[in-house]
Amino acid sequence: MKIKKPTSKIDHGNFRIKKNTLEWVFIVFLTLFSFLSTSTLLVSLFILLIFLRQREIGAIKIVNIITLRTIINPGIAVDIGNLQYLKWIILFGCSLYLLLSFNKLEKNEINKIKWILSPLFLFVLYNIFVALVFSSLPIVSIFKLLSYAVIFSGILIGVGYTIKSYDWLKWMLTMFKLIIIFSFLIIPFPVSYLRNGSSFQGITNNPNMFGVLAVLFIAIFLSYLQINKNKQKLYLLISLFLSLITLLMIFLSKSRTALISCLVLLFIYLIFVNCNKLLKIIIVNFSGIAVILIILGTNVINFLTEFLYKGQEKGNILYSRTNQIENTLSNFIDNPWFGNGFAVPVLPYKSYIFSAEFIVEPGNLVLSVLSYSGIFGFLLFFSYMTRVFWVNKSNFKYSCFLPLATILISMGEMVFFSSNNIGIWCYMFIALYVLIDTRKPEVNER
């Protein structure tokens, strides 16, 4: 079944406006309207459902816009947590609707998605067993597990069904550009440093959150550059400027995870970029000069040292994460083979209550999976993540930045399973990598 492509422009005489431009204006105003109070937030969430007129495309947009609204700086907007249950209903509703689109997929997309979902299904069954037998909070553990699996699967299927008719890469890039632009505009204002008074958080609710979003922006920008090589130079220059100011804001945010992740992505881009040998030589030489200046420049070294240690005692760069790491390792050692339950704390008693109050901050993707699911669960997780990278290996050099970014940020800020937070963007990035085919002609964005 093919999705009908609507016209992309509205023509009023000689004045033309792209439909997607009007849509983004609507999204921005609706988001700003939701900032005012809990009442306007409630109204905006219901208005957001108008996107369901676009069927699967609209459902994907809704979950992404809700994710954006979730991470907004509390100094400029009311917390969406005030309507947490309504938010969950919308997220689950849209995800279940997208799951029903599985039978609409074409054969190629079905094969790719089954290749990913088969080991994911085993991972889910295994973790349900762990929750019932070993977890302190089995009901909470199963709910968190299913919220991850259902939303991830829904997005994967929804993107698979719509990828040939809608330019999701450009849509996501536009959303991240808006986050970067609005964050840049409020650099001089105290609200940008609300969390601790010194680290930049922009329009997001945490400096580390801004760092994570910056990495995702850089990743999708690099993928867009690789896939769309014939775009207008002005468009690419504007995007390049935004990426440069993003790196500046990463320094202001003092996010070590973001800085290291961006440097890794840029290094990989340098390896895969299709440019002539002379340009590569120039880039490598300038990079070498920069490294030498850093080594010789005492002030630069001091700055980087302070950045990495965040003003704490030197000698242990992970000092700020010591408690997280020790607790996670302790949980793993208690039950190394099976783990202690998916995304729940370890309590001295077993309880079948359900509550959203049980929060864990493991801080690292590998340690998290080992703590949640043990060695057996980690092998299952590793299996389907390996399949993610393998299933579209022919396009690896064009869009590998997308799944790599989700892994890199989760090594320092464990957001991968956070479907209540920006985990949804991780799933979007994985879906785009799995399903993008650079050999196919570009699609029209509505």
Side-chain angles (χ1 to χ4, degrees), residues 59 88-98:
W88 272 115
I89 290 171
I90 296 174
L91 289 177
F92 268 106
C94 289
S95 300
L96 291 171
Y97 173 64
L98 293 171

Side-chain angles (χ1 to χ4, degrees), residues 325-338:
I325 293 173
E326 288 181 351
N327 289 337
T328 305
L329 284 174
S330 176
N331 292 338
F332 168 66
I333 292 170
D334 286 343
N335 193 358
W337 293 105
F338 294 99

Side-chain angles (χ1 to χ4, degrees), residues 4 62 134 160 168 225 297 306 332 340 346 359 406 413 443:
K4 184 179 178 182
I62 288 172
F134 299 104
W168 284 115
L225 283 181
E306 290 297 322
F332 168 66
N340 303 281
V346 178
I359 300 172
T406 68
E413 305 294 337
V443 295

Side-chain angles (χ1 to χ4, degrees), residues 53-66:
R53 294 180 61 187
Q54 298 177 12
R55 298 179 180 273
E56 287 82 3
I57 290 174
I60 296 172
K61 289 178 180 178
I62 288 172
V63 298
N64 278 282
I65 295 168
I66 287 179

Side-chain angles (χ1 to χ4, degrees), residues 4-126:
K4 184 179 178 182
K5 296 180 183 179
T7 56
S8 60
K9 292 183 179 180
I10 300 175
D11 192 342
H12 297 289
N14 295 324
F15 183 64
R16 292 186 175 186
I17 304 175
K18 288 185 178 181
K19 288 187 69 175
N20 81 291
T21 301
L22 287 176
E23 182 177 277
W24 276 113
V25 171
F26 171 73
I27 291 171
V28 169
F29 275 101
L30 183 63
T31 305
L32 292 174
F33 176 68
S34 74
F35 290 0
L36 302 178
S37 66
T38 302
S39 298
T40 61
L41 174 60
L42 176 64
V43 172
S44 69
L45 287 175
F46 281 111
I47 294 176
L48 194 59
L49 298 178
I50 197 173
F51 279 106
L52 288 176
R53 294 180 61 187
Q54 298 177 12
R55 298 179 180 273
E56 287 82 3
I57 290 174
I60 296 172
K61 289 178 180 178
I62 288 172
V63 298
N64 278 282
I65 295 168
I66 287 179
T67 301
L68 170 62
R69 184 58 184 83
T70 298
I71 52 89
I72 293 297
N73 189 324
I76 60 178
V78 297
D79 186 4
I80 197 172
N82 296 331
L83 300 173
Q84 184 73 0
Y85 290 108
L86 176 61
K87 171 188 167 182
W88 272 115
I89 290 171
I90 296 174
L91 289 177
F92 268 106
C94 289
S95 300
L96 291 171
Y97 173 64
L98 293 171
L99 285 174
L100 296 176
S101 302
F102 183 80
N103 292 329
K104 301 177 184 179
L105 293 169
E106 296 182 0
K107 185 177 180 180
N108 186 52
E109 281 70 36
I110 287 178
N111 291 336
K112 286 184 175 182
I113 290 172
K114 279 186 175 180
W115 180 254
I116 306 299
L117 293 186
S118 296
L120 174 62
F121 182 67
L122 292 176
F123 181 74
V124 170
L125 288 180
Y126 168 81

Side-chain angles (χ1 to χ4, degrees), residues 364-401:
N364 178 277
L365 179 59
V366 173
L367 293 178
S368 297
V369 178
L370 287 171
S371 174
Y372 297 166
S373 309
I375 294 173
F376 292 137
F378 178 80
L379 293 175
L380 288 172
F381 178 77
F382 182 79
S383 171
Y384 83 80
M385 287 308 298
T386 301
R387 289 190 174 205
V388 165
F389 283 92
W390 184 260
V391 73
N392 201 13
K393 60 184 183 299
S394 60
N395 291 307
F396 183 82
K397 73 174 185 177
Y398 300 106
S399 53
C400 65
F401 313 100

